C-alpha cells in the first residue's frame, strides 16, 4: 500500500512500487479528450457534426492542453446506434465526410501535437454489413454463417430463442431470421440492438479481417484504438442461460462494488462476493485476441495505444486486460461510478493504482463519456440512476445544477491531479450538465425504443456542445440545425463565454492541464496525506498536494501557495465540495 504522510508540508519519502506507470510511452500519462463526432462541430451545417468541423476546432483542444483525442466511430454505418453499428470499417460515413477529410484531420492534429485514437467496434457489425448480408443469404452451417452466432431456436418448431439472454438495450438478445421462401429460420445473437449482430470471434477468418482493418488505420497514421465492448467478444461455450442480478450495470460487470464502508486507515480488504461474470462478458478467451492485436500494433514504429472498454469487476480482473503483452489501458469504470464520498474515492484510487500498477500498466481515470449521465449532473443526483437509464423529464431526484457543477469542478480537479492517464469527455471542460428535458420525439438512443420508453437512454449526454453563445446552434454550425435540440440556457456554458474568464470551468481545466504537465503529475507517485479527517481526500504527487473537502464543514488549509482551486478560497479554509492544489516543494 502507498505510504501515508502527514499534512501538506510533509515530504514524501518512500516511493510506491507501482503507483503510476513503468515505461515512457506517451499514453501512460496522457490526458485523452473524447470527441463524439456527431456533436462536436458541424462544418456542413446539416445538424450532425463531421470531420471537417473537428479539424476546425482542433486548435481549441491544443489550447486546452490535452495530449490526444479519441474519436467515437465515424465509419460507414446506418447509424442505428450512432455509429456503433459499422457497415464498412475502412471507409468514412458520408455523414462525417470522406477518407480525405480524415487524413486532413489527422495531419492537422499531428501538426498541433495531438495524437489521434479511433474507435474500433469488433464485437458486432451492422446488420447492413456485407458479411452479415452474405451470412443471411447463405445456408445454415455455411462458412458465411459461421462469421456470426447463428443457432437453431428451442421449442417444437424452433420458435423460442436459443437461450434467455437479455439485450443491453432491452428485449431479447436473439432475433429470428426469415428464409428465402418466407418461412422462419435460425436465430442470431446480438448483445445490443437487433441491427448489431455479434461476430463469432472463435472463427479465425474474423480475426484475420480485423487484423487487416487495424492495419488499414495504422497505415493512415493513427496512434491507436479504443476498443468497443472489449469484454464481450468471446461467449461461454454452450451459451448457457443466465439471469443477471437486479442491480447489474447494463453495459456489463456486476453493478459495481460498495466502497462506502472503507475506513482509510484499515488495510485494504478483498471485496466480498463478486458474482460470476455473465457468460457473454469477461471470458478468458478475449486475452488471446489482445495478444494478437498487440502484435499488430508492434509492427508499426512509435508508441500506439490500445484502450479497452471493459465493463468487468473487480479492478484486479480489469487489470488482466492490460498485462504487458495485451492492451495498454482499460477504462476505470469503478472510479467513474464511485459515490461522492472521500473514503470511497480513496479506496478506489488506491485499488486502481495497485491493480493496474501490479501489471505495469498506468491507472486510468474517467468521469464522463457518451454512455453515462454527465458528471456535472450525476454527482448531485438524489435518486438512483442505473447506468444507461439516463435522466428525463419524469425522472425522480433531479440534481441541483449549482451543486452538480460545484462537485464536478471539484471532482475533475481531483482526477487531473492523479498519476496515470485521464479521459475528458467533450463538454465537461465547459461544465455542461446532462440535458434532462429532451422531448420524447427528439430521442434517438435505441435504449429508449427497445424499452418502450421505460429508460430514457443516453441522448442527454450527447447533445451538440456550445461554442459561441450568440451564434446559430451556439456555433456548432452556421445553420442552427442540431440532431438533438440544444437547451436555450446552454448559452452560459459556451466556449466563448468562458475563454479567458478567470474562474470559469474552461479556465480551470486549462490551468489543471498546464500544471499537470509542468509538475509531472501524470508520471508521479501518489502518497496519501493524513490528518484532515474522514471526509477529506488528500494526496501528494510530485511537489503538489491535492486536498478535496467532501464534508459539510470547512477545513483549515496549511500555509502554502495555492496553485489551483475549484472554488474561490478565502480566509485560509477549504469550503465544502472544493478541491485545491497546493505547491508543497
Ligand atoms: C459501447 C459504446 O460506448 C456504446 O455507445 C454502444 O452503444 C455500445 N458499446 C455498442 O457498441
Amino acid at each position: 500500500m502507498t505510504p501515508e504522510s502527514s499534512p501538506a508540508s510533509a515530504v514524501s519519502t518512500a516511493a510506491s512500487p507501482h503507483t503510476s506507470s513503468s515505461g515512457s510511452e506517451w499514453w501512460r500519462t496522457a490526458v485523452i479528450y473524447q470527441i463524439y463526432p456527431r456533436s462536436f462541430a458541424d462544418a456542413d451545417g446539416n445538424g450532425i457534426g463531421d470531420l471537417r468541423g473537428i479539424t476546425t476546432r482542433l486548435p481549441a483542444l491544443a489550447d486546452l492542453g490535452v495530449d490526444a483525442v479519441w474519436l467515437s466511430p465515424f465509419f460507414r454505418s446506418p447509424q442505428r446506434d450512432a455509429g456503433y453499428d459499422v457497415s464498412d470499417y475502412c471507409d468514412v460515413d458520408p455523414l462525417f465526410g470522406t477518407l480525405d477529410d480524415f487524413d486532413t484531420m489527422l495531419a492537422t492534429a499531428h501538426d498541433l501535437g495531438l495524437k489521434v485514437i479511433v474507435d474500433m467496434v469488433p464485437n458486432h457489425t451492422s446488420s447492413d454489413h456485407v458479411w452479415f448480408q452474405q451470412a443471411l443469404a447463405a445456408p445454415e452451417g455455411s462458412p458465411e454463417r459461421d462469421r456470426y452466432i447463428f443457432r437453431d431456436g428451442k421449442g417444437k418448431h424452433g420458435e423460442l430463442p436459443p437461450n434467455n439472454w437479455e439485450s443491453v438495450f432491452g428485449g431479447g438478445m436473439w432475433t429470428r431470421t426469415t428464409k428465402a421462401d418466407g418461412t422462419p429460420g435460425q436465430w442470431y445473437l446480438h448483445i445490443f440492438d437487433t441491427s448489431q449482430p455479434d461476430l463469432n470471434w472463435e472463427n479465425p477468418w474474423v480475426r484475420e479481417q480485423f487484423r487487416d482493418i487495424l492495419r488499414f488505420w495504422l497505415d493512415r497514421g493513427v496512434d491507436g484504438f479504443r476498443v468497443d465492448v472489449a469484454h464481450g467478444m468471446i461467449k461461454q461455450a454452450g451459451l448457457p442461460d443466465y439471469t443477471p442480478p437486479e442491480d447489474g450495470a447494463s453495459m456489463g460487470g456486476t453493478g459495481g462494488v460498495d466502497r462506502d464502508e472503507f475506513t482509510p486507515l484499515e488495510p485494504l480488504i478483498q471485496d466480498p462476493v463478486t458474482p460470476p461474470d455473465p457468460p457473454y462478458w469477461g471470458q478468458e478467451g478475449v486475452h488471446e485476441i489482445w495478444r494478437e492485436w498487440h502484435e499488430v500494433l508492434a509492427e508499426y514504429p512509435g508508441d500506439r495505444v490500445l484502450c479497452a472498454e471493459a465493463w468487468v469487476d473487480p479492478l484486479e480482473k480489469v487489470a488482466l486486460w492490460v498485462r504487458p503483452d495485451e492492451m495498454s489501458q482499460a477504462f476505470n469504470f469503478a472510479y467513474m461510478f464511485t459515490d461522492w464520498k472521500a473514503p470511497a474515492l480513496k479506496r478506489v484510487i488506491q485499488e486502481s493504482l495497485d491493480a493496474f500498477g501490479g501489471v505495469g500498466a498506468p491507472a486510468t481515470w474517467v468521469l464522463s463519456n457518451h454512455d453515462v449521465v454527465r458528471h456535472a449532473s450525476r454527482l448531485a443526483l438524489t435518486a438512483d440512476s442505473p447506468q444507461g437509464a439516463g435522466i428525463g423529464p419524469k425522472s425522480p431526484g433531479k440534481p441541483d445544477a449549482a451543486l452538480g457543477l460545484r462537485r464536478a469542478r471539484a471532482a475533475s480537479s481531483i482526477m487531473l491531479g492523479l498519476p496515470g492517464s485521464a479521459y475528458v469527455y467533450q463538454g465537461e471542460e465547459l461544465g455542461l450538465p446532462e440535458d434532462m428535458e429532451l422531448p420524447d420525439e427528439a430521442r434517438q438512443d435505441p435504449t429508449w425504443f427497445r424499452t418502450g420508453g421505460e429508460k430514457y437512454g443516453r441522448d442527454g449526454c450527447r447533445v451538440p456542445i456550445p461554442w459561441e453563445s450568440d451564434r446559430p446552434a451556439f456555433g456548432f454550425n452556421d445553420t442552427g440545425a442540431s440532431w438533438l435540440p440544444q437547451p436555450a440556457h446552454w448559452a452560459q456554458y459556451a466556449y466563448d463565454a468562458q475563454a479567458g474568464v478567470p474562474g470559469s470551468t474552461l479556465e480551470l481545466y486549462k490551468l489543471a492541464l498546464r500544471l499537470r504537465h509542468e509538475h509531472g503529475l501524470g508520471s508521479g507517485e501518489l502518497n496519501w496525506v493524513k490528518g484532515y479527517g474522514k471526509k477529506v481526500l488528500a494526496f501528494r504527487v510530485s511537489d503538489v498536494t491535492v486536498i478535496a473537502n467532501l464534508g459539510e464543514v470547512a477545513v483549515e488549509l496549511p500555509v502554502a501557495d495555492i496553485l489551483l482551486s475549484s472554488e474561490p478560497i478565502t480566509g485560509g479554509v477549504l469550503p465544502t465540495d472544493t478541491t485545491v492544489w497546493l505547491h508543497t516543494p
Side-chain angles (χ1 to χ4, degrees), residues 3-303:
E4 301 227 5
S5 53
S6 38
S9 53
V11 176
S12 20
T13 45
S16 181
H18 47 60
T19 44
S20 56
S21 52
S22 36
S24 58
E25 297 94 335
W26 62 268
W27 41 263
R28 289 182 177 272
T29 59
V31 175
I32 300 169
Y33 183 98
Q34 182 189 355
I35 293 178
Y36 194 64
R38 299 183 138 249
S39 302
F40 186 70
D42 176 23
D44 68 10
N46 69 351
I48 299 184
D50 47 42
L51 292 169
R52 285 196 296 119
I54 294 172
T55 303
T56 319
R57 296 292 189 181
L58 283 175
L61 299 185
D63 188 47
L64 178 61
V66 299
D67 304 292
V69 293
W70 145 37
L71 274 67
S72 284
F74 48 79
F75 314 112
R76 253 183 209 273
S77 158
Q79 304 291 323
R80 298 213 180 85
D81 184 22
Y84 283 95
D85 50 321
V86 180
S87 56
D88 184 346
Y89 291 88
C90 297
D91 202 1
V92 170
D93 195 280
L95 260 187
F96 300 116
T98 62
L99 278 170
D100 283 347
D101 293 336
F102 176 82
D103 291 340
T104 305
M105 187 277 303
L106 183 65
T108 309
H110 283 166
D111 284 349
L112 289 163
L114 297 168
K115 308 278 188 191
V116 175
I117 298 167
V118 300
D119 206 326
M120 198 40 62
V121 188
N123 177 69
H124 46 266
T125 67
S126 160
S127 50
D128 285 9
H129 197 292
V130 63
W131 301 338
F132 191 69
Q133 290 303 316
Q134 287 169 348
L136 285 180
E140 294 173 14
S142 60
E144 288 84 357
R145 286 240 164 158
D146 192 41
R147 298 167 183 169
Y148 293 87
I149 303 177
F150 282 89
R151 293 288 185 278
D152 293 334
K154 285 184 178 166
K156 204 164 167 199
H157 306 288
E159 71 278 15
L160 299 173
N163 68 24
N164 71 344
W165 296 358
E166 283 174 27
S167 155
V168 166
F169 290 161
M173 231 190 241
W174 295 91
T175 292
R176 197 167 191 188
T177 58
T178 306
K179 295 185 192 171
D181 64 5
T183 59
Q186 285 189 303
W187 299 70
Y188 66 89
L189 179 79
H190 50 89
I191 290 184
F192 297 92
D193 187 50
T194 182
S195 64
Q196 293 165 296
D198 278 43
L199 284 161
N200 172 17
W201 275 88
E202 308 284 359
N203 182 338
W205 184 89
V206 170
R207 296 188 181 209
E208 194 187 323
Q209 303 308 303
F210 271 88
R211 287 195 297 269
D212 285 347
I213 291 166
L214 295 181
R215 290 189 187 102
F216 175 86
W217 291 102
L218 289 164
D219 286 344
R220 298 196 99 82
V222 305
D223 300 289
F225 304 93
R226 175 260 190 194
V227 183
D228 189 61
V229 199
H231 55 310
M233 292 160 68
I234 296 286
K235 282 76 179 172
Q236 192 177 318
L239 313 180
D241 276 354
Y242 173 78
T243 305
E246 291 271 302
D247 61 346
S250 72
M251 285 289 177
T254 52
V257 170
D258 181 7
R259 291 183 167 78
D260 290 354
E261 295 313 312
F262 174 64
T263 308
L265 299 179
E266 280 173 6
L268 291 178
I269 47 159
Q270 258 330 89
D271 290 318
V273 190
T274 305
D277 280 316
Y280 39 87
W281 294 144
Q283 301 298 306
E284 260 305 297
V286 293
H287 296 292
E288 194 180 290
I289 305 171
W290 309 146
R291 291 191 191 104
E292 288 173 12
W293 285 28
H294 185 103
E295 289 300 311
V296 173
L297 266 64
E299 292 166 11
Y300 291 79
D303 303 328

Side-chain angles (χ1 to χ4, degrees), residues 467-529:
W467 290 94
E468 283 99 23
S469 47
D470 60 356
R471 285 190 51 213
F474 301 129
F476 170 59
N477 55 27
D478 290 332
T479 61
S482 180
W483 71 283
L484 289 172
Q486 298 162 301
H489 70 98
W490 274 19
Q492 66 186 300
Y493 297 103
Y495 183 93
D496 75 339
Q498 300 195 42
V501 176
S504 69
T505 305
L506 179 64
E507 292 302 327
L508 177 68
Y509 268 73
K510 279 191 198 170
L511 178 61
L513 290 169
R514 179 166 64 73
L515 292 169
R516 182 181 167 87
H517 280 272
E518 283 173 10
H519 292 262
L521 302 187
S523 57
E525 283 148 0
L526 181 144
N527 291 270
W528 295 108
V529 175

